[in-house]
Amino acid sequence: MNPLSKLAKSLGKQQWFADMGKRLVPADLAVQKRTGGRISLLRAAGLPYLVLTATGRKSGQPRSVPLLYAPHGDEFVVVGSNWGQRHHPAWSANLLANPDATVQARGREIRVRARLVTGDERERLWRGVITDTWPAYDEYAKRAADRDIRVFVLSRTE
C-alpha cells in the first residue's frame, strides 16, 4: 500500500480532515481539468478516484465532481457520504433524477448508468467493498446521523 494512502486512510476519520477535504474538492477538480486528469490529490494519495459527470437535475447542465470509488468487478461503487454532513451531496440527487452519466477513470472516459443500492446488497457492499477502500465511511455514517448515506453502483453502458 502506498504510504500516502495509508496515512490518508488513517487521517480520514478525523473531523478536521473532512473539513479540509470539503474545501479541497473544487481545487482538485480545477487542477484535474487543467492537467487532463494527470494531476490529482486523490491520485497522489494512491486512492482509487474518478471524476463523475452527471446532468444537473435543475439546470440540465453537466456537473462534475471528483470522487473516491470502490472497485467492484467491472463496476464502480460510489458513496454519497458528503464527508458526514447531514444532507446528501447534490451529485447523488442528480443521479437519482438522471442515472446516465460519464466517469473519467484511469485515463479513460466511460459511459455509465447509476443504480442506487439498498438493503442487503448495500450492506454487503458497505462491509465487503466500501469500507475496505475508505475506512472513514463508517465515521461519516455516524456523523450523518439521521440520513442513510446513498450508495450507487455505476455500470458501464458501452
Side-chain angles (χ1 to χ4, degrees), residues 113-155:
R113 178 160 293 129
R115 179 174 57 85
L116 179 68
V117 293
T118 59
D120 290 342
E121 181 183 18
R122 182 187 180 283
E123 274 305 305
R124 278 193 307 277
L125 288 172
W126 191 273
R127 296 288 159 231
V129 175
I130 293 168
T131 55
D132 286 351
T133 300
W134 189 247
Y137 282 134
D138 281 332
E139 187 63 32
Y140 298 167
K142 289 176 195 170
R143 289 186 205 144
D146 297 331
R147 79 172 173 95
D148 285 331
I149 290 177
R150 292 174 179 157
V151 174
F152 292 89
V153 171
L154 307 178
S155 301

Tab-separated table of all heavy atoms in Angstrom, residues 113-155:
chain	number	residue	atom	x	y	z
A	113	ARG	N	-24.290	3.892	-16.123
A	113	ARG	CA	-25.647	4.074	-15.597
A	113	ARG	C	-25.573	3.776	-14.108
A	113	ARG	O	-25.043	2.748	-13.692
A	113	ARG	CB	-26.639	3.140	-16.284
A	113	ARG	CG	-28.043	3.293	-15.687
A	113	ARG	CD	-29.145	2.783	-16.586
A	113	ARG	NE	-29.231	3.637	-17.760
A	113	ARG	CZ	-29.236	3.188	-19.019
A	113	ARG	NH1	-29.166	1.897	-19.258
A	113	ARG	NH2	-29.309	4.016	-20.031
A	114	ALA	N	-26.117	4.700	-13.330
A	114	ALA	CA	-26.092	4.581	-11.871
A	114	ALA	C	-27.316	3.829	-11.378
A	114	ALA	O	-28.420	3.991	-11.888
A	114	ALA	CB	-26.053	5.968	-11.242
A	115	ARG	N	-27.077	3.030	-10.348
A	115	ARG	CA	-28.154	2.302	-9.683
A	115	ARG	C	-27.968	2.472	-8.184
A	115	ARG	O	-26.921	2.132	-7.636
A	115	ARG	CB	-28.089	0.822	-10.079
A	115	ARG	CG	-29.128	-0.058	-9.439
A	115	ARG	CD	-29.061	-1.473	-10.011
A	115	ARG	NE	-27.757	-2.101	-9.860
A	115	ARG	CZ	-27.359	-2.761	-8.770
A	115	ARG	NH1	-28.142	-2.868	-7.713
A	115	ARG	NH2	-26.161	-3.328	-8.728
A	116	LEU	N	-28.989	3.033	-7.530
A	116	LEU	CA	-28.967	3.170	-6.080
A	116	LEU	C	-29.121	1.785	-5.475
A	116	LEU	O	-30.030	1.046	-5.852
A	116	LEU	CB	-30.117	4.077	-5.625
A	116	LEU	CG	-30.243	4.315	-4.124
A	116	LEU	CD1	-29.069	5.133	-3.603
A	116	LEU	CD2	-31.565	5.029	-3.826
A	117	VAL	N	-28.238	1.423	-4.559
A	117	VAL	CA	-28.341	0.116	-3.908
A	117	VAL	C	-28.859	0.300	-2.490
A	117	VAL	O	-28.530	1.270	-1.813
A	117	VAL	CB	-27.016	-0.678	-3.932
A	117	VAL	CG1	-26.653	-1.080	-5.342
A	117	VAL	CG2	-25.882	0.094	-3.310
A	118	THR	N	-29.685	-0.642	-2.081
A	118	THR	CA	-30.315	-0.578	-0.762
A	118	THR	C	-30.293	-1.968	-0.130
A	118	THR	O	-29.866	-2.947	-0.751
A	118	THR	CB	-31.779	-0.086	-0.876
A	118	THR	OG1	-32.496	-0.991	-1.733
A	118	THR	CG2	-31.862	1.330	-1.444
A	119	GLY	N	-30.764	-2.039	1.082
A	119	GLY	CA	-30.978	-3.316	1.764
A	119	GLY	C	-29.727	-4.161	1.910
A	119	GLY	O	-28.637	-3.655	2.186
A	120	ASP	N	-29.913	-5.466	1.713
A	120	ASP	CA	-28.819	-6.426	1.898
A	120	ASP	C	-27.647	-6.170	0.949
A	120	ASP	O	-26.488	-6.300	1.344
A	120	ASP	CB	-29.318	-7.860	1.697
A	120	ASP	CG	-30.233	-8.323	2.820
A	120	ASP	OD1	-30.221	-7.691	3.895
A	120	ASP	OD2	-30.962	-9.321	2.619
A	121	GLU	N	-27.965	-5.807	-0.292
A	121	GLU	CA	-26.883	-5.541	-1.246
A	121	GLU	C	-26.035	-4.366	-0.774
A	121	GLU	O	-24.800	-4.422	-0.821
A	121	GLU	CB	-27.446	-5.242	-2.636
A	121	GLU	CG	-26.352	-4.978	-3.659
A	121	GLU	CD	-26.866	-4.599	-5.024
A	121	GLU	OE1	-28.041	-4.196	-5.158
A	121	GLU	OE2	-26.064	-4.679	-5.978
A	122	ARG	N	-26.670	-3.315	-0.270
A	122	ARG	CA	-25.942	-2.155	0.241
A	122	ARG	C	-25.053	-2.577	1.414
A	122	ARG	O	-23.890	-2.194	1.495
A	122	ARG	CB	-26.910	-1.057	0.668
A	122	ARG	CG	-26.212	0.196	1.164
A	122	ARG	CD	-27.236	1.190	1.745
A	122	ARG	NE	-26.603	2.387	2.233
A	122	ARG	CZ	-25.943	2.496	3.379
A	122	ARG	NH1	-25.799	1.452	4.182
A	122	ARG	NH2	-25.405	3.643	3.748
A	123	GLU	N	-25.605	-3.366	2.326
A	123	GLU	CA	-24.824	-3.816	3.488
A	123	GLU	C	-23.610	-4.648	3.070
A	123	GLU	O	-22.525	-4.483	3.618
A	123	GLU	CB	-25.701	-4.611	4.462
A	123	GLU	CG	-26.430	-3.758	5.451
A	123	GLU	CD	-25.498	-2.842	6.239
A	123	GLU	OE1	-24.532	-3.330	6.869
A	123	GLU	OE2	-25.728	-1.622	6.216
A	124	ARG	N	-23.812	-5.554	2.120
A	124	ARG	CA	-22.693	-6.386	1.643
A	124	ARG	C	-21.600	-5.518	1.025
A	124	ARG	O	-20.412	-5.726	1.290
A	124	ARG	CB	-23.180	-7.408	0.618
A	124	ARG	CG	-23.788	-8.650	1.229
A	124	ARG	CD	-23.976	-9.767	0.207
A	124	ARG	NE	-24.704	-9.350	-0.977
A	124	ARG	CZ	-26.036	-9.294	-1.075
A	124	ARG	NH1	-26.798	-9.627	-0.046
A	124	ARG	NH2	-26.618	-8.910	-2.196
A	125	LEU	N	-22.002	-4.543	0.210
A	125	LEU	CA	-21.018	-3.649	-0.400
A	125	LEU	C	-20.331	-2.795	0.658
A	125	LEU	O	-19.116	-2.592	0.612
A	125	LEU	CB	-21.673	-2.753	-1.453
A	125	LEU	CG	-22.081	-3.436	-2.749
A	125	LEU	CD1	-22.882	-2.485	-3.629
A	125	LEU	CD2	-20.863	-3.957	-3.495
A	126	TRP	N	-21.113	-2.310	1.624
A	126	TRP	CA	-20.540	-1.439	2.668
A	126	TRP	C	-19.465	-2.193	3.451
A	126	TRP	O	-18.366	-1.698	3.639
A	126	TRP	CB	-21.651	-0.952	3.606
A	126	TRP	CG	-21.181	0.141	4.517
A	126	TRP	CD1	-20.574	-0.001	5.734
A	126	TRP	CD2	-21.254	1.539	4.287
A	126	TRP	NE1	-20.267	1.227	6.272
A	126	TRP	CE2	-20.683	2.199	5.402
A	126	TRP	CE3	-21.767	2.319	3.244
A	126	TRP	CZ2	-20.602	3.579	5.495
A	126	TRP	CZ3	-21.690	3.699	3.343
A	126	TRP	CH2	-21.106	4.307	4.471
A	127	ARG	N	-19.792	-3.390	3.888
A	127	ARG	CA	-18.859	-4.168	4.726
A	127	ARG	C	-17.747	-4.827	3.921
A	127	ARG	O	-16.634	-4.959	4.411
A	127	ARG	CB	-19.620	-5.249	5.503
A	127	ARG	CG	-20.605	-4.698	6.480
A	127	ARG	CD	-19.925	-4.067	7.680
A	127	ARG	NE	-20.852	-3.146	8.319
A	127	ARG	CZ	-20.583	-1.900	8.621
A	127	ARG	NH1	-19.415	-1.377	8.374
A	127	ARG	NH2	-21.489	-1.135	9.194
A	128	GLY	N	-18.029	-5.255	2.708
A	128	GLY	CA	-17.042	-6.036	1.981
A	128	GLY	C	-16.242	-5.276	0.948
A	128	GLY	O	-15.228	-5.771	0.472
A	129	VAL	N	-16.673	-4.065	0.576
A	129	VAL	CA	-16.003	-3.341	-0.507
A	129	VAL	C	-15.715	-1.892	-0.109
A	129	VAL	O	-14.587	-1.430	-0.189
A	129	VAL	CB	-16.883	-3.370	-1.795
A	129	VAL	CG1	-16.273	-2.529	-2.900
A	129	VAL	CG2	-17.115	-4.800	-2.273
A	130	ILE	N	-16.741	-1.199	0.332
A	130	ILE	CA	-16.650	0.248	0.543
A	130	ILE	C	-15.678	0.615	1.665
A	130	ILE	O	-14.759	1.405	1.464
A	130	ILE	CB	-18.058	0.832	0.805
A	130	ILE	CG1	-18.895	0.711	-0.470
A	130	ILE	CG2	-17.983	2.262	1.302
A	130	ILE	CD1	-20.377	0.971	-0.275
A	131	THR	N	-15.876	0.049	2.847
A	131	THR	CA	-15.011	0.436	3.966
A	131	THR	C	-13.618	-0.188	3.856
A	131	THR	O	-12.699	0.279	4.536
A	131	THR	CB	-15.653	0.112	5.328
A	131	THR	OG1	-16.005	-1.269	5.365
A	131	THR	CG2	-16.880	0.987	5.561
A	132	ASP	N	-13.458	-1.188	3.019
A	132	ASP	CA	-12.100	-1.672	2.732
A	132	ASP	C	-11.322	-0.611	1.952
A	132	ASP	O	-10.118	-0.453	2.145
A	132	ASP	CB	-12.135	-2.968	1.912
A	132	ASP	CG	-12.546	-4.165	2.738
A	132	ASP	OD1	-12.635	-4.047	3.980
A	132	ASP	OD2	-12.791	-5.235	2.138
A	133	THR	N	-12.021	0.097	1.070
A	133	THR	CA	-11.396	1.134	0.266
A	133	THR	C	-11.147	2.403	1.079
A	133	THR	O	-10.087	3.009	0.991
A	133	THR	CB	-12.276	1.466	-0.957
A	133	THR	OG1	-12.422	0.278	-1.739
A	133	THR	CG2	-11.667	2.562	-1.814
A	134	TRP	N	-12.133	2.805	1.881
A	134	TRP	CA	-12.024	4.033	2.679
A	134	TRP	C	-12.690	3.806	4.027
A	134	TRP	O	-13.894	3.996	4.189
A	134	TRP	CB	-12.669	5.206	1.932
A	134	TRP	CG	-12.438	6.546	2.554
A	134	TRP	CD1	-13.385	7.349	3.122
A	134	TRP	CD2	-11.208	7.259	2.673
A	134	TRP	NE1	-12.811	8.517	3.587
A	134	TRP	CE2	-11.468	8.486	3.314
A	134	TRP	CE3	-9.892	6.976	2.295
A	134	TRP	CZ2	-10.470	9.424	3.593
A	134	TRP	CZ3	-8.908	7.918	2.570
A	134	TRP	CH2	-9.197	9.121	3.207
A	135	PRO	N	-11.933	3.381	5.028
A	135	PRO	CA	-12.493	3.057	6.346
A	135	PRO	C	-13.254	4.214	7.000
A	135	PRO	O	-14.141	3.992	7.824
A	135	PRO	CB	-11.268	2.675	7.174
A	135	PRO	CG	-10.234	2.271	6.183
A	135	PRO	CD	-10.491	3.104	4.963
A	136	ALA	N	-12.945	5.437	6.639
A	136	ALA	CA	-13.596	6.600	7.258
A	136	ALA	C	-15.091	6.678	6.952
A	136	ALA	O	-15.818	7.400	7.629
A	136	ALA	CB	-12.908	7.883	6.810
A	137	TYR	N	-15.571	5.923	5.965
A	137	TYR	CA	-17.011	5.973	5.667
A	137	TYR	C	-17.851	5.576	6.883
A	137	TYR	O	-18.945	6.101	7.068
A	137	TYR	CB	-17.366	5.088	4.470
A	137	TYR	CG	-17.025	5.712	3.136
A	137	TYR	CD1	-16.366	4.969	2.155
A	137	TYR	CD2	-17.368	7.025	2.831
A	137	TYR	CE1	-16.058	5.525	0.930
A	137	TYR	CE2	-17.059	7.587	1.607
A	137	TYR	CZ	-16.411	6.833	0.652
A	137	TYR	OH	-16.104	7.379	-0.569
A	138	ASP	N	-17.362	4.683	7.727
A	138	ASP	CA	-18.107	4.338	8.946
A	138	ASP	C	-18.256	5.558	9.850
A	138	ASP	O	-19.329	5.793	10.419
A	138	ASP	CB	-17.414	3.205	9.714
A	138	ASP	CG	-17.694	1.838	9.125
A	138	ASP	OD1	-18.769	1.648	8.511
A	138	ASP	OD2	-16.837	0.947	9.287
A	139	GLU	N	-17.198	6.339	9.959
A	139	GLU	CA	-17.255	7.563	10.775
A	139	GLU	C	-18.194	8.586	10.141
A	139	GLU	O	-18.973	9.240	10.835
A	139	GLU	CB	-15.851	8.148	10.943
A	139	GLU	CG	-15.784	9.310	11.893
A	139	GLU	CD	-16.177	8.961	13.327
A	139	GLU	OE1	-15.942	7.817	13.768
A	139	GLU	OE2	-16.735	9.851	13.997
A	140	TYR	N	-18.143	8.718	8.817
A	140	TYR	CA	-19.026	9.657	8.127
A	140	TYR	C	-20.494	9.260	8.337
A	140	TYR	O	-21.354	10.126	8.494
A	140	TYR	CB	-18.722	9.704	6.635
A	140	TYR	CG	-17.332	10.179	6.271
A	140	TYR	CD1	-16.843	10.011	4.995
A	140	TYR	CD2	-16.493	10.795	7.195
A	140	TYR	CE1	-15.575	10.438	4.632
A	140	TYR	CE2	-15.222	11.221	6.858
A	140	TYR	CZ	-14.770	11.037	5.564
A	140	TYR	OH	-13.514	11.461	5.224
A	141	ALA	N	-20.766	7.958	8.349
A	141	ALA	CA	-22.143	7.493	8.568
A	141	ALA	C	-22.634	7.894	9.962
A	141	ALA	O	-23.793	8.282	10.134
A	141	ALA	CB	-22.231	5.985	8.381
A	142	LYS	N	-21.748	7.827	10.956
A	142	LYS	CA	-22.130	8.260	12.311
A	142	LYS	C	-22.442	9.749	12.331
A	142	LYS	O	-23.415	10.185	12.936
A	142	LYS	CB	-21.009	7.959	13.309
A	142	LYS	CG	-20.815	6.509	13.612
A	142	LYS	CD	-19.621	6.332	14.544
A	142	LYS	CE	-19.174	4.890	14.582
A	142	LYS	NZ	-17.891	4.743	15.287
A	143	ARG	N	-21.604	10.546	11.667
A	143	ARG	CA	-21.808	11.998	11.637
A	143	ARG	C	-23.069	12.390	10.878
A	143	ARG	O	-23.693	13.398	11.194
A	143	ARG	CB	-20.611	12.691	10.987
A	143	ARG	CG	-19.381	12.663	11.829
A	143	ARG	CD	-18.285	13.496	11.173
A	143	ARG	NE	-16.997	13.015	11.611
A	143	ARG	CZ	-15.919	12.955	10.866
A	143	ARG	NH1	-15.941	13.374	9.617
A	143	ARG	NH2	-14.796	12.501	11.358
A	144	ALA	N	-23.414	11.611	9.864
A	144	ALA	CA	-24.589	11.929	9.050
A	144	ALA	C	-25.882	11.746	9.832
A	144	ALA	O	-26.940	12.201	9.395
A	144	ALA	CB	-24.601	11.075	7.787
A	145	ALA	N	-25.795	11.081	10.945
A	145	ALA	CA	-26.894	10.913	11.908
A	145	ALA	C	-28.158	10.320	11.292
A	145	ALA	O	-28.224	9.123	11.103
A	145	ALA	CB	-27.174	12.214	12.631
A	146	ASP	N	-29.124	11.138	10.981
A	146	ASP	CA	-30.461	10.660	10.612
A	146	ASP	C	-30.634	10.332	9.131
A	146	ASP	O	-31.744	10.031	8.715
A	146	ASP	CB	-31.513	11.699	11.021
A	146	ASP	CG	-31.543	11.888	12.525
A	146	ASP	OD1	-31.217	10.934	13.256
A	146	ASP	OD2	-31.875	12.999	12.965
A	147	ARG	N	-29.603	10.395	8.347
A	147	ARG	CA	-29.785	10.054	6.933
A	147	ARG	C	-28.997	8.801	6.587
A	147	ARG	O	-27.916	8.562	7.111
A	147	ARG	CB	-29.403	11.214	6.020
A	147	ARG	CG	-27.924	11.403	5.797
A	147	ARG	CD	-27.673	12.469	4.719
A	147	ARG	NE	-26.264	12.773	4.628
A	147	ARG	CZ	-25.427	12.197	3.756
A	147	ARG	NH1	-25.878	11.313	2.893
A	147	ARG	NH2	-24.149	12.528	3.744
A	148	ASP	N	-29.573	8.018	5.720
A	148	ASP	CA	-28.860	6.869	5.178
A	148	ASP	C	-28.006	7.371	4.027
A	148	ASP	O	-28.516	7.985	3.082
A	148	ASP	CB	-29.832	5.798	4.672
A	148	ASP	CG	-30.473	5.018	5.796
A	148	ASP	OD1	-29.835	4.885	6.858
A	148	ASP	OD2	-31.607	4.552	5.615
A	149	ILE	N	-26.734	7.114	4.121
A	149	ILE	CA	-25.824	7.537	3.059
A	149	ILE	C	-26.140	6.736	1.798
A	149	ILE	O	-26.228	5.508	1.836
A	149	ILE	CB	-24.361	7.344	3.509
A	149	ILE	CG1	-24.042	8.362	4.607
A	149	ILE	CG2	-23.406	7.460	2.339
A	149	ILE	CD1	-22.655	8.232	5.191
A	150	ARG	N	-26.302	7.462	0.701
A	150	ARG	CA	-26.622	6.810	-0.581
A	150	ARG	C	-25.384	6.113	-1.143
A	150	ARG	O	-24.283	6.664	-1.120
A	150	ARG	CB	-27.123	7.842	-1.584
A	150	ARG	CG	-28.474	8.428	-1.213
A	150	ARG	CD	-28.862	9.547	-2.158
A	150	ARG	NE	-30.170	10.082	-1.796
A	150	ARG	CZ	-30.583	11.296	-2.116
A	150	ARG	NH1	-29.804	12.109	-2.810
A	150	ARG	NH2	-31.779	11.697	-1.744
A	151	VAL	N	-25.613	4.918	-1.680
A	151	VAL	CA	-24.567	4.134	-2.325
A	151	VAL	C	-25.051	3.806	-3.735
A	151	VAL	O	-26.179	3.324	-3.905
A	151	VAL	CB	-24.265	2.840	-1.542
A	151	VAL	CG1	-23.276	1.961	-2.309
A	151	VAL	CG2	-23.745	3.165	-0.143
A	152	PHE	N	-24.212	4.065	-4.706
A	152	PHE	CA	-24.553	3.796	-6.105
A	152	PHE	C	-23.534	2.841	-6.714
A	152	PHE	O	-22.332	2.943	-6.446
A	152	PHE	CB	-24.511	5.085	-6.932
A	152	PHE	CG	-25.573	6.075	-6.589
A	152	PHE	CD1	-25.351	7.030	-5.597
A	152	PHE	CD2	-26.794	6.074	-7.253
A	152	PHE	CE1	-26.321	7.965	-5.291
A	152	PHE	CE2	-27.777	7.001	-6.929
A	152	PHE	CZ	-27.532	7.954	-5.953
A	153	VAL	N	-24.024	1.958	-7.550
A	153	VAL	CA	-23.167	1.145	-8.404
A	153	VAL	C	-23.267	1.760	-9.793
A	153	VAL	O	-24.362	1.982	-10.323
A	153	VAL	CB	-23.616	-0.334	-8.438
A	153	VAL	CG1	-22.858	-1.110	-9.495
A	153	VAL	CG2	-23.429	-0.974	-7.061
A	154	LEU	N	-22.108	2.076	-10.365
A	154	LEU	CA	-22.033	2.630	-11.709
A	154	LEU	C	-21.599	1.519	-12.653
A	154	LEU	O	-20.490	0.993	-12.537
A	154	LEU	CB	-21.030	3.788	-11.755
A	154	LEU	CG	-21.216	4.910	-10.737
A	154	LEU	CD1	-20.102	5.947	-10.889
A	154	LEU	CD2	-22.577	5.546	-10.857
A	155	SER	N	-22.486	1.146	-13.553
A	155	SER	CA	-22.211	0.067	-14.510
A	155	SER	C	-21.968	0.654	-15.889
A	155	SER	O	-22.676	1.571	-16.324
A	155	SER	CB	-23.405	-0.888	-14.593
A	155	SER	OG	-23.667	-1.438	-13.331
